């Protein structure tokens, strides 16, 4: 599975991104990522999740996931994120903070 995650906006307007290829991970870690994607019902989410109002300091996300069977991209404002997606996003944000992604 290939996961590409971008976060942009916020107070500084800084863009951050990370890509994870689960085929390069241990089987246990790859399984953890798969479980997060499944729990988020990612492939059932709409392409765009927009908040009713825009905010100048809000974060916006673009998340693309591809596996052997399907590919899907979701773009969302932080105030429109479904709760089921939050654990996956937390893990991705932590991944972005690792030194190799800065």
């Amino acid at each position: 599975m290939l996961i590409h995650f971008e976060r942009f906006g916020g107070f500084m307007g800084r863009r951050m991104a990370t890509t994870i290829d689960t085929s390069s991970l241990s089987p246990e870690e790859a399984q953890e990522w798969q479980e997060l994607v499944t729990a988020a019902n990612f492939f059932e989410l709409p392409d765009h999740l927009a908040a009713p109002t825009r905010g100048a300091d809000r974060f916006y996300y673009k998340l693309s996931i591809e596996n052997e069977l399907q590919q899907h991209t979701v773009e969302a404002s932080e105030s429109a994120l479904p709760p089921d997606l939050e654990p996956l996003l937390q893990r991705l944000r932590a991944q972005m903070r690792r030194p190799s992604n800065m």
Side-chain angles (χ1 to χ4, degrees):
M1 178 169 54
L2 190 61
I3 302 170
H4 182 73
F5 176 62
E6 295 179 63
R7 183 184 79 178
F8 46 95
F11 180 70
M12 300 293 289
R14 185 172 159 197
R15 179 189 171 275
M16 296 177 71
T18 190
T19 299
I20 297 147
D21 182 352
T22 60
S23 67
S24 66
L25 304 175
S26 71
E28 295 80 17
E29 193 171 7
Q31 181 62 34
E32 290 173 13
W33 283 106
Q34 180 60 55
E35 289 170 4
L36 287 167
V37 170
T38 300
N41 297 308
F42 180 77
F43 289 103
E44 286 79 42
L45 293 173
D47 295 346
H48 296 280
L49 297 166
T53 58
R54 293 186 57 91
D57 295 339
R58 292 191 178 146
F59 286 113
Y60 296 88
Y61 301 96
K62 182 176 181 181
L63 178 58
S64 298
I65 301 177
E66 181 179 344
N67 63 25
E68 313 78 44
L69 304 174
Q70 53 196 336
Q71 191 278 330
H72 185 53
T73 299
V74 173
E75 295 183 30
S77 63
E78 74 179 331
S79 60
L81 296 171
D84 289 346
L85 190 57
E86 190 56 36
L88 175 59
L89 293 180
Q90 285 178 347
R91 179 80 182 266
L92 287 162
R93 286 189 294 260
Q95 184 75 25
M96 283 192 310
R97 290 186 204 104
R98 290 185 177 179
S100 63
N101 287 303
M102 296 194 154

